[in-house]
Tab-separated table of all heavy atoms in Angstrom:
chain	number	residue	atom	x	y	z
Y	290	MET	N	94.970	53.339	86.614
Y	290	MET	CA	94.275	53.486	85.326
Y	290	MET	C	92.776	53.805	85.501
Y	290	MET	O	92.326	54.857	85.034
Y	290	MET	CB	94.485	52.210	84.506
Y	290	MET	CG	94.108	52.346	83.071
Y	290	MET	SD	94.738	50.992	82.065
Y	290	MET	CE	93.732	49.653	82.557
Y	293	GLY	N	92.303	57.085	87.559
Y	293	GLY	CA	92.682	58.264	86.766
Y	293	GLY	C	91.635	58.584	85.719
Y	293	GLY	O	91.284	59.748	85.500
Y	294	GLY	N	91.104	57.538	85.056
Y	294	GLY	CA	90.059	57.731	84.045
Y	294	GLY	C	88.815	58.350	84.658
Y	294	GLY	O	88.250	59.315	84.126
Y	297	GLY	N	89.372	61.957	85.765
Y	297	GLY	CA	89.337	62.857	84.608
Y	297	GLY	C	87.914	63.176	84.184
Y	297	GLY	O	87.574	64.328	83.908
Y	323	TYR	N	100.300	68.999	85.768
Y	323	TYR	CA	100.834	68.408	84.546
Y	323	TYR	C	101.969	69.259	83.982
Y	323	TYR	O	102.942	68.745	83.432
Y	323	TYR	CB	99.707	68.291	83.524
Y	323	TYR	CG	100.088	67.604	82.244
Y	323	TYR	CD1	100.383	66.244	82.233
Y	323	TYR	CD2	100.153	68.297	81.052
Y	323	TYR	CE1	100.724	65.594	81.063
Y	323	TYR	CE2	100.496	67.667	79.871
Y	323	TYR	CZ	100.782	66.322	79.886
Y	323	TYR	OH	101.124	65.684	78.721
Y	360	TYR	N	98.646	62.914	85.520
Y	360	TYR	CA	98.366	62.532	84.130
Y	360	TYR	C	96.879	62.527	83.769
Y	360	TYR	O	96.515	62.095	82.681
Y	360	TYR	CB	99.012	61.186	83.823
Y	360	TYR	CG	100.516	61.256	83.973
Y	360	TYR	CD1	101.186	60.475	84.915
Y	360	TYR	CD2	101.253	62.155	83.200
Y	360	TYR	CE1	102.562	60.585	85.080
Y	360	TYR	CE2	102.621	62.270	83.366
Y	360	TYR	CZ	103.279	61.489	84.298
Y	360	TYR	OH	104.622	61.607	84.453
Y	361	SER	N	96.026	62.987	84.689
Y	361	SER	CA	94.590	63.035	84.355
Y	361	SER	C	94.182	64.224	83.475
Y	361	SER	O	93.083	64.189	82.917
Y	361	SER	CB	93.747	63.046	85.630
Y	361	SER	OG	94.132	64.124	86.429
Y	362	PRO	N	94.991	65.297	83.330
Y	362	PRO	CA	94.544	66.405	82.462
Y	362	PRO	C	94.116	65.971	81.066
Y	362	PRO	O	93.222	66.573	80.477
Y	362	PRO	CB	95.762	67.330	82.414
Y	362	PRO	CG	96.395	67.161	83.734
Y	362	PRO	CD	96.231	65.681	84.035
Y	363	THR	N	94.738	64.910	80.524
Y	363	THR	CA	94.298	64.446	79.201
Y	363	THR	C	92.837	64.002	79.261
Y	363	THR	O	92.019	64.379	78.415
Y	363	THR	CB	95.176	63.268	78.725
Y	363	THR	OG1	96.526	63.704	78.745
Y	363	THR	CG2	94.786	62.828	77.333
Y	364	GLY	N	92.521	63.200	80.290
Y	364	GLY	CA	91.136	62.746	80.459
Y	364	GLY	C	90.206	63.918	80.731
Y	364	GLY	O	89.082	63.960	80.219
Y	365	ILE	N	90.691	64.882	81.515
Y	365	ILE	CA	89.858	66.054	81.844
Y	365	ILE	C	89.554	66.850	80.572
Y	365	ILE	O	88.411	67.169	80.285
Y	365	ILE	CB	90.576	66.955	82.882
Y	365	ILE	CG1	90.670	66.224	84.225
Y	365	ILE	CG2	89.843	68.280	83.060
Y	365	ILE	CD1	91.569	66.900	85.248
Y	366	ARG	N	90.623	67.132	79.799
Y	366	ARG	CA	90.408	67.930	78.580
Y	366	ARG	C	89.543	67.163	77.576
Y	366	ARG	O	88.701	67.751	76.884
Y	366	ARG	CB	91.744	68.291	77.906
Y	366	ARG	CG	92.697	69.186	78.675
Y	366	ARG	CD	92.096	70.300	79.450
Y	366	ARG	NE	91.209	71.173	78.695
Y	366	ARG	CZ	90.481	72.137	79.233
Y	366	ARG	NH1	90.519	72.345	80.545
Y	366	ARG	NH2	89.699	72.875	78.496
Y	367	ALA	N	89.754	65.841	77.488
Y	367	ALA	CA	88.933	65.036	76.563
Y	367	ALA	C	87.471	65.078	76.992
Y	367	ALA	O	86.572	65.200	76.151
Y	367	ALA	CB	89.438	63.599	76.534
Y	368	THR	N	87.227	65.006	78.303
Y	368	THR	CA	85.843	65.055	78.807
Y	368	THR	C	85.225	66.424	78.522
Y	368	THR	O	84.078	66.509	78.063
Y	368	THR	CB	85.809	64.783	80.328
Y	368	THR	OG1	86.441	63.530	80.565
Y	368	THR	CG2	84.391	64.753	80.852
Y	371	GLN	N	84.497	66.639	74.879
Y	371	GLN	CA	83.351	65.781	74.559
Y	371	GLN	C	82.037	66.445	74.990
Y	371	GLN	O	81.067	66.476	74.245
Y	371	GLN	CB	83.520	64.448	75.294
Y	371	GLN	CG	82.645	63.331	74.761
Y	371	GLN	CD	83.303	62.605	73.605
Y	371	GLN	OE1	84.480	62.812	73.336
Y	371	GLN	NE2	82.550	61.790	72.913
Y	402	VAL	N	80.342	60.309	77.568
Y	402	VAL	CA	81.756	60.686	77.724
Y	402	VAL	C	82.654	59.451	77.905
Y	402	VAL	O	83.826	59.596	78.228
Y	402	VAL	CB	81.982	61.688	78.897
Y	402	VAL	CG1	81.254	62.992	78.641
Y	402	VAL	CG2	81.573	61.103	80.221
Y	403	LEU	N	82.114	58.271	77.646
Y	403	LEU	CA	82.933	57.061	77.755
Y	403	LEU	C	84.215	57.128	76.919
Y	403	LEU	O	85.280	56.716	77.394
Y	403	LEU	CB	82.124	55.832	77.353
Y	403	LEU	CG	81.483	55.038	78.503
Y	403	LEU	CD1	80.856	53.755	77.972
Y	403	LEU	CD2	82.484	54.695	79.596
Y	404	PRO	N	84.146	57.653	75.686
Y	404	PRO	CA	85.402	57.758	74.923
Y	404	PRO	C	86.460	58.578	75.654
Y	404	PRO	O	87.639	58.223	75.642
Y	404	PRO	CB	84.970	58.455	73.637
Y	404	PRO	CG	83.531	58.135	73.499
Y	404	PRO	CD	82.992	58.078	74.890
Y	405	ALA	N	86.032	59.660	76.300
Y	405	ALA	CA	86.979	60.491	77.054
Y	405	ALA	C	87.520	59.706	78.246
Y	405	ALA	O	88.698	59.812	78.594
Y	405	ALA	CB	86.296	61.772	77.517
Y	406	PHE	N	86.653	58.910	78.861
Y	406	PHE	CA	87.082	58.079	79.992
Y	406	PHE	C	88.180	57.112	79.547
Y	406	PHE	O	89.217	56.986	80.199
Y	406	PHE	CB	85.870	57.302	80.528
Y	406	PHE	CG	86.209	56.238	81.537
Y	406	PHE	CD1	86.612	56.575	82.816
Y	406	PHE	CD2	86.134	54.898	81.209
Y	406	PHE	CE1	86.936	55.601	83.753
Y	406	PHE	CE2	86.453	53.914	82.127
Y	406	PHE	CZ	86.849	54.270	83.397
Y	407	PHE	N	87.962	56.474	78.404
Y	407	PHE	CA	88.964	55.516	77.926
Y	407	PHE	C	90.244	56.218	77.493
Y	407	PHE	O	91.336	55.678	77.666
Y	407	PHE	CB	88.397	54.676	76.776
Y	407	PHE	CG	87.484	53.594	77.257
Y	407	PHE	CD1	86.134	53.623	76.966
Y	407	PHE	CD2	87.960	52.556	78.034
Y	407	PHE	CE1	85.284	52.632	77.431
Y	407	PHE	CE2	87.122	51.561	78.503
Y	407	PHE	CZ	85.777	51.599	78.212
Y	408	ALA	N	90.110	57.420	76.935
Y	408	ALA	CA	91.304	58.188	76.544
Y	408	ALA	C	92.142	58.493	77.783
Y	408	ALA	O	93.364	58.284	77.788
Y	408	ALA	CB	90.899	59.466	75.836
Y	409	GLY	N	91.476	58.942	78.849
Y	409	GLY	CA	92.175	59.254	80.099
Y	409	GLY	C	92.799	58.025	80.700
Y	409	GLY	O	93.948	58.034	81.171
Y	410	LEU	N	92.053	56.943	80.637
Y	410	LEU	CA	92.510	55.650	81.157
Y	410	LEU	C	93.802	55.196	80.465
Y	410	LEU	O	94.777	54.798	81.101
Y	410	LEU	CB	91.382	54.668	80.838
Y	410	LEU	CG	91.198	53.400	81.588
Y	410	LEU	CD1	89.950	53.572	82.432
Y	410	LEU	CD2	90.937	52.291	80.611
Y	411	GLY	N	93.794	55.310	79.141
Y	411	GLY	CA	94.950	54.879	78.358
Y	411	GLY	C	96.181	55.694	78.675
Y	411	GLY	O	97.277	55.153	78.860
Y	412	VAL	N	95.998	57.002	78.786
Y	412	VAL	CA	97.146	57.876	79.054
Y	412	VAL	C	97.718	57.593	80.436
Y	412	VAL	O	98.942	57.507	80.610
Y	412	VAL	CB	96.742	59.363	78.913
Y	412	VAL	CG1	97.829	60.282	79.469
Y	412	VAL	CG2	96.472	59.691	77.468
Y	413	VAL	N	96.849	57.422	81.426
Y	413	VAL	CA	97.342	57.147	82.782
Y	413	VAL	C	98.115	55.829	82.793
Y	413	VAL	O	99.175	55.717	83.423
Y	413	VAL	CB	96.176	57.113	83.803
Y	413	VAL	CG1	96.659	56.646	85.160
Y	413	VAL	CG2	95.553	58.504	83.940
Y	414	PHE	N	97.635	54.819	82.051
Y	414	PHE	CA	98.350	53.550	82.015
Y	414	PHE	C	99.721	53.718	81.354
Y	414	PHE	O	100.744	53.282	81.886
Y	414	PHE	CB	97.548	52.488	81.251
Y	414	PHE	CG	98.256	51.161	81.189
Y	414	PHE	CD1	98.177	50.269	82.254
Y	414	PHE	CD2	99.055	50.813	80.109
Y	414	PHE	CE1	98.866	49.066	82.230
Y	414	PHE	CE2	99.751	49.620	80.073
Y	414	PHE	CZ	99.653	48.739	81.138
Y	415	ILE	N	99.733	54.379	80.199
Y	415	ILE	CA	100.995	54.551	79.465
Y	415	ILE	C	102.008	55.291	80.339
Y	415	ILE	O	103.165	54.881	80.457
Y	415	ILE	CB	100.762	55.318	78.147
Y	415	ILE	CG1	99.961	54.461	77.175
Y	415	ILE	CG2	102.083	55.737	77.511
Y	415	ILE	CD1	99.414	55.222	75.978
Y	416	ARG	N	101.542	56.374	80.983
Y	416	ARG	CA	102.459	57.146	81.814
Y	416	ARG	C	102.883	56.352	83.052
Y	416	ARG	O	104.009	56.481	83.532
Y	416	ARG	CB	101.826	58.482	82.231
Y	416	ARG	CG	101.400	59.361	81.072
Y	416	ARG	CD	102.500	59.626	80.090
Y	416	ARG	NE	103.600	60.398	80.662
Y	416	ARG	CZ	104.708	60.742	80.045
Y	416	ARG	NH1	104.887	60.349	78.799
Y	416	ARG	NH2	105.636	61.450	80.635
Y	417	SER	N	101.989	55.511	83.569
Y	417	SER	CA	102.338	54.674	84.724
Y	417	SER	C	103.454	53.701	84.368
Y	417	SER	O	104.272	53.339	85.206
Y	417	SER	CB	101.126	53.864	85.198
Y	417	SER	OG	100.087	54.708	85.570
Y	418	MET	N	103.478	53.264	83.124
Y	418	MET	CA	104.498	52.309	82.687
Y	418	MET	C	105.808	53.000	82.316
Y	418	MET	O	106.865	52.378	82.374
Y	418	MET	CB	103.995	51.532	81.457
Y	418	MET	CG	102.809	50.631	81.719
Y	418	MET	SD	103.139	49.303	82.884
Y	418	MET	CE	104.294	48.278	81.988
Y	419	THR	N	105.719	54.265	81.910
Y	419	THR	CA	106.914	54.876	81.319
Y	419	THR	C	107.492	56.054	82.116
Y	419	THR	O	108.618	56.449	81.868
Y	419	THR	CB	106.601	55.391	79.890
Y	419	THR	OG1	105.521	56.323	79.985
Y	419	THR	CG2	106.205	54.279	78.960
Y	461	ALA	N	103.736	45.902	76.728
Y	461	ALA	CA	102.587	46.144	77.622
Y	461	ALA	C	101.809	47.373	77.165
Y	461	ALA	O	100.574	47.363	77.086
Y	461	ALA	CB	103.072	46.320	79.057
Y	462	VAL	N	102.545	48.436	76.840
Y	462	VAL	CA	101.887	49.671	76.388
Y	462	VAL	C	101.151	49.429	75.069
Y	462	VAL	O	100.013	49.874	74.881
Y	462	VAL	CB	102.930	50.801	76.234
Y	462	VAL	CG1	102.365	51.976	75.439
Y	462	VAL	CG2	103.397	51.266	77.605
Y	463	PHE	N	101.799	48.679	74.180
Y	463	PHE	CA	101.189	48.383	72.879
Y	463	PHE	C	99.868	47.628	73.056
Y	463	PHE	O	98.846	47.987	72.463
Y	463	PHE	CB	102.173	47.569	72.028
Y	463	PHE	CG	101.636	47.240	70.666
Y	463	PHE	CD1	101.650	48.187	69.648
Y	463	PHE	CD2	101.102	45.988	70.401
Y	463	PHE	CE1	101.150	47.880	68.401
Y	463	PHE	CE2	100.582	45.677	69.146
Y	463	PHE	CZ	100.614	46.634	68.143
Y	464	VAL	N	99.893	46.589	73.897
Y	464	VAL	CA	98.687	45.764	74.102
Y	464	VAL	C	97.565	46.603	74.710
Y	464	VAL	O	96.424	46.596	74.226
Y	464	VAL	CB	99.009	44.542	74.997
Y	464	VAL	CG1	97.727	43.840	75.441
Y	464	VAL	CG2	99.907	43.571	74.249
Y	465	VAL	N	97.890	47.344	75.778
Y	465	VAL	CA	96.836	48.126	76.448
Y	465	VAL	C	96.314	49.238	75.540
Y	465	VAL	O	95.107	49.498	75.482
Y	465	VAL	CB	97.352	48.694	77.797
Y	465	VAL	CG1	96.346	49.662	78.400
Y	465	VAL	CG2	97.611	47.550	78.761
Y	466	THR	N	97.207	49.873	74.790
Y	466	THR	CA	96.764	50.928	73.864
Y	466	THR	C	95.808	50.361	72.816
Y	466	THR	O	94.788	50.972	72.477
Y	466	THR	CB	97.973	51.576	73.162
Y	466	THR	OG1	98.864	52.048	74.157
Y	466	THR	CG2	97.553	52.747	72.299
Y	467	ALA	N	96.141	49.162	72.313
Y	467	ALA	CA	95.266	48.528	71.317
Y	467	ALA	C	93.899	48.239	71.925
Y	467	ALA	O	92.856	48.474	71.294
Y	467	ALA	CB	95.910	47.242	70.808
Y	468	LEU	N	93.892	47.733	73.178
Y	468	LEU	CA	92.618	47.424	73.839
Y	468	LEU	C	91.793	48.692	74.066
Y	468	LEU	O	90.587	48.717	73.834
Y	468	LEU	CB	92.871	46.727	75.186
Y	468	LEU	CG	93.401	45.290	75.105
Y	468	LEU	CD1	93.737	44.778	76.499
Y	468	LEU	CD2	92.362	44.382	74.448
Y	469	VAL	N	92.463	49.758	74.525
Y	469	VAL	CA	91.754	51.016	74.788
Y	469	VAL	C	91.223	51.610	73.475
Y	469	VAL	O	90.094	52.107	73.422
Y	469	VAL	CB	92.674	52.022	75.523
Y	469	VAL	CG1	92.026	53.406	75.592
Y	469	VAL	CG2	92.963	51.533	76.937
Y	470	SER	N	92.031	51.517	72.404
Y	470	SER	CA	91.574	52.035	71.109
Y	470	SER	C	90.342	51.274	70.630
Y	470	SER	O	89.404	51.869	70.088
Y	470	SER	CB	92.687	51.917	70.068
Y	470	SER	OG	93.745	52.755	70.447
Y	471	ALA	N	90.349	49.942	70.859
Y	471	ALA	CA	89.182	49.130	70.478
Y	471	ALA	C	87.970	49.574	71.286
Y	471	ALA	O	86.855	49.708	70.749
Y	471	ALA	CB	89.481	47.658	70.713
Y	472	ALA	N	88.191	49.827	72.589
Y	472	ALA	CA	87.080	50.276	73.446
Y	472	ALA	C	86.572	51.643	72.995
Y	472	ALA	O	85.369	51.907	72.985
Y	472	ALA	CB	87.537	50.329	74.901
Y	473	LEU	N	87.505	52.517	72.580
Y	473	LEU	CA	87.116	53.856	72.107
Y	473	LEU	C	86.208	53.756	70.886
Y	473	LEU	O	85.219	54.466	70.768
Y	473	LEU	CB	88.363	54.656	71.739
Y	473	LEU	CG	89.061	55.393	72.870
Y	473	LEU	CD1	90.378	55.956	72.380
Y	473	LEU	CD2	88.194	56.520	73.381
Y	474	ARG	N	86.578	52.851	69.978
Y	474	ARG	CA	85.753	52.678	68.768
Y	474	ARG	C	84.394	52.104	69.132
Y	474	ARG	O	83.369	52.511	68.608
Y	474	ARG	CB	86.467	51.747	67.776
Y	474	ARG	CG	87.527	52.440	66.956
Y	474	ARG	CD	87.946	51.574	65.774
Y	474	ARG	NE	88.545	50.315	66.191
Y	474	ARG	CZ	89.819	50.175	66.526
Y	474	ARG	NH1	90.619	51.207	66.477
Y	474	ARG	NH2	90.301	49.004	66.892
Y	475	ARG	N	84.408	51.157	70.087
Y	475	ARG	CA	83.169	50.469	70.473
Y	475	ARG	C	82.191	51.427	71.159
Y	475	ARG	O	80.992	51.388	70.922
Y	475	ARG	CB	83.542	49.307	71.406
Y	475	ARG	CG	82.410	48.675	72.178
Y	475	ARG	CD	81.531	47.804	71.289
Y	475	ARG	NE	80.446	47.211	72.032
Y	475	ARG	CZ	79.336	47.847	72.360
Y	475	ARG	NH1	79.192	49.113	72.019
Y	475	ARG	NH2	78.371	47.233	73.025
Y	476	PHE	N	82.722	52.295	72.028
Y	476	PHE	CA	81.844	53.124	72.858
Y	476	PHE	C	81.664	54.548	72.343
Y	476	PHE	O	81.021	55.344	72.995
Y	476	PHE	CB	82.367	53.176	74.300
Y	476	PHE	CG	82.241	51.864	75.004
Y	476	PHE	CD1	83.355	51.085	75.247
Y	476	PHE	CD2	80.999	51.400	75.405
Y	476	PHE	CE1	83.236	49.862	75.889
Y	476	PHE	CE2	80.872	50.182	76.055
Y	476	PHE	CZ	81.991	49.405	76.289
Y	477	ARG	N	82.219	54.853	71.186
Y	477	ARG	CA	82.051	56.210	70.668
Y	477	ARG	C	80.578	56.484	70.406
Y	477	ARG	O	79.920	55.749	69.676
Y	477	ARG	CB	82.844	56.364	69.376
Y	477	ARG	CG	82.805	57.753	68.826
Y	477	ARG	CD	83.573	57.798	67.523
Y	477	ARG	NE	83.016	58.829	66.687
Y	477	ARG	CZ	83.218	58.908	65.395
Y	477	ARG	NH1	83.955	58.021	64.788
Y	477	ARG	NH2	82.681	59.876	64.705
Y	482	ALA	N	82.552	63.391	67.756
Y	482	ALA	CA	83.848	63.282	67.094
Y	482	ALA	C	84.705	62.220	67.778
Y	482	ALA	O	84.555	61.978	68.975
Y	482	ALA	CB	84.556	64.626	67.151
Y	483	PRO	N	85.594	61.554	67.033
Y	483	PRO	CA	86.438	60.545	67.656
Y	483	PRO	C	87.416	61.154	68.645
Y	483	PRO	O	87.811	62.301	68.518
Y	483	PRO	CB	87.185	59.924	66.468
Y	483	PRO	CG	87.110	60.939	65.394
Y	483	PRO	CD	85.866	61.701	65.605
Y	484	VAL	N	87.775	60.371	69.664
Y	484	VAL	CA	88.738	60.818	70.665
Y	484	VAL	C	89.909	59.855	70.629
Y	484	VAL	O	89.726	58.649	70.605
Y	484	VAL	CB	88.094	60.816	72.068
Y	484	VAL	CG1	89.132	61.139	73.131
Y	484	VAL	CG2	86.960	61.807	72.132
Y	485	SER	N	91.127	60.395	70.584
Y	485	SER	CA	92.302	59.543	70.534
Y	485	SER	C	92.754	59.182	71.940
Y	485	SER	O	92.469	59.889	72.899
Y	485	SER	CB	93.414	60.291	69.797
Y	485	SER	OG	94.656	59.764	70.114
Y	486	VAL	N	93.459	58.069	72.061
Y	486	VAL	CA	94.038	57.680	73.346
Y	486	VAL	C	94.995	58.773	73.818
Y	486	VAL	O	95.186	58.996	75.000
Y	486	VAL	CB	94.805	56.347	73.207
Y	486	VAL	CG1	95.509	55.982	74.498
Y	486	VAL	CG2	93.862	55.249	72.785
Y	487	PHE	N	95.560	59.466	72.843
Y	487	PHE	CA	96.550	60.484	73.173
Y	487	PHE	C	95.946	61.875	73.302
Y	487	PHE	O	96.608	62.870	73.175
Y	487	PHE	CB	97.664	60.473	72.122
Y	487	PHE	CG	98.285	59.121	72.008
Y	487	PHE	CD1	97.934	58.281	70.971
Y	487	PHE	CD2	99.147	58.659	72.983
Y	487	PHE	CE1	98.479	57.013	70.886
Y	487	PHE	CE2	99.686	57.381	72.901
Y	487	PHE	CZ	99.354	56.554	71.854
Y	488	GLY	N	94.651	61.922	73.547
Y	488	GLY	CA	93.977	63.208	73.745
Y	488	GLY	C	93.103	63.537	72.566
Y	488	GLY	O	92.936	62.741	71.656
Y	489	THR	N	92.539	64.745	72.609
Y	489	THR	CA	91.582	65.108	71.559
Y	489	THR	C	92.289	65.740	70.379
Y	489	THR	O	93.367	66.281	70.518
Y	489	THR	CB	90.552	66.111	72.111
Y	489	THR	OG1	91.276	67.172	72.726
Y	489	THR	CG2	89.666	65.456	73.108
Side-chain angles (χ1 to χ4, degrees):
Chain Y
M290 193 166 72
Y323 184 68
Y360 299 118
S361 57
T363 304
I365 292 170
R366 296 321 307 173
T368 304
Q371 197 86 11
V402 297
L403 263 187
F406 170 72
F407 282 113
L410 203 109
V412 168
V413 172
F414 180 83
I415 291 167
R416 302 306 295 178
S417 300
M418 294 297 293
T419 58
V462 165
F463 181 79
V464 169
V465 172
T466 304
L468 289 174
V469 171
S470 295
L473 275 172
R474 279 194 297 276
R475 166 74 180 79
F476 291 106
R477 184 182 151 198
V484 174
S485 159
V486 175
F487 304 101
T489 51

